[in-house]
C-alpha cells in the first residue's frame, strides 16, 4: 500500500537521577497527493498509534496532519504500574499541536 506509512519511535529522557523511556509505533494513512512540479503540499494524513512508557503506562494516540503543515495529536495513557491503584485505572488526556513553518515548503537544489 503506497499511501500507508508505519514509523517506530523511541525517547529517553533523564532528569537528575530519574529516567523515562517511551517507545511507540504509529501508522499514517495519506489522503490526497502533493504536486510533483510545484511546492504545493496538499496531502493530509490520518494517524493512529500505540506506545509504552517503560514500567508506567500504555499510550494510545490518534491524530490528523493537515497539508503537511499542521499536526494535531490526541493521546490517552493508562497506568500499568503500581500507580493504577491510586488512579483507579483512570488515564490522562494529552493534546499536541505542531505547526511546521513555511521553510519546509521551499525547493531544495540537489547537487
Amino acid at each position: 500500500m503506497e499511501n500507508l506509512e508505519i514509523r517506530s519511535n523511541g525517547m529517553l529522557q533523564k532528569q537528575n537521577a530519574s529516567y523515562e523511556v517511551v517507545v511507540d509505533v504509529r501508522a499514517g494513512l495519506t489522503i490526497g497527493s502533493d504536486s510533483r512540479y510545484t511546492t504545493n503540499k496538499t496531502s493530509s494524513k490520518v494517524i493512529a498509534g500505540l506506545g509504552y512508557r517503560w514500567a508506567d503506562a500504555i499510550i494510545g494516540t490518534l491524530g490528523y496532519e493537515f497539508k503537511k503543515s499542521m499536526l494535531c495529536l490526541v493521546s490517552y495513557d493508562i497506568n500499568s504500574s503500581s500507580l493504577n491503584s491510586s488512579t483507579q485505572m483512570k488515564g490522562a488526556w494529552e493534546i499536541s499541536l505542531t505547526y511546521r513553518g513555511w521553510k519546509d515548503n521551499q525547493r531544495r537544489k540537489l547537487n
Side-chain angles (χ1 to χ4, degrees):
M1 227 177 173
E2 190 174 307
N3 55 352
L4 179 65
E5 174 183 30
I6 298 176
R7 288 188 178 191
S8 59
N9 301 298
M11 178 183 67
L12 170 66
Q13 289 183 331
K14 181 181 185 297
Q15 184 176 13
N16 297 327
S18 299
Y19 288 92
E20 179 181 55
V21 178
V22 179
V23 293
D24 75 349
V25 175
R26 291 184 188 165
L29 184 63
T30 302
I31 302 166
S33 60
D34 297 327
S35 173
R36 295 176 61 196
Y37 308 106
T38 69
T39 58
N40 291 341
K41 294 183 178 179
T42 58
S43 67
S44 295
K45 191 180 292 185
V46 177
I47 301 165
L50 189 61
Y52 181 68
R53 186 179 310 114
W54 199 261
D56 185 40
I58 298 168
I59 306 161
T61 303
L62 291 174
Y64 185 74
E65 180 184 58
F66 180 71
K67 295 186 178 182
K68 295 189 178 180
S69 64
M70 179 67 83
L71 175 65
C72 177
L73 294 173
V74 177
S75 300
Y76 188 75
D77 63 2
I78 299 174
N79 287 102
S80 60
S81 67
S82 59
L83 285 177
N84 64 9
S85 60
S86 299
T87 62
Q88 299 174 345
M89 293 297 289
K90 294 179 183 172
W93 290 98
E94 296 178 13
I95 298 173
S96 169
L97 295 172
T98 305
Y99 174 73
R100 296 184 182 113
W102 53 270
K103 205 132 175 90
D104 282 346
N105 288 331
Q106 294 179 348
R107 288 260 185 220
R108 291 174 181 81
K109 184 177 180 181
L110 300 176
N111 293 329

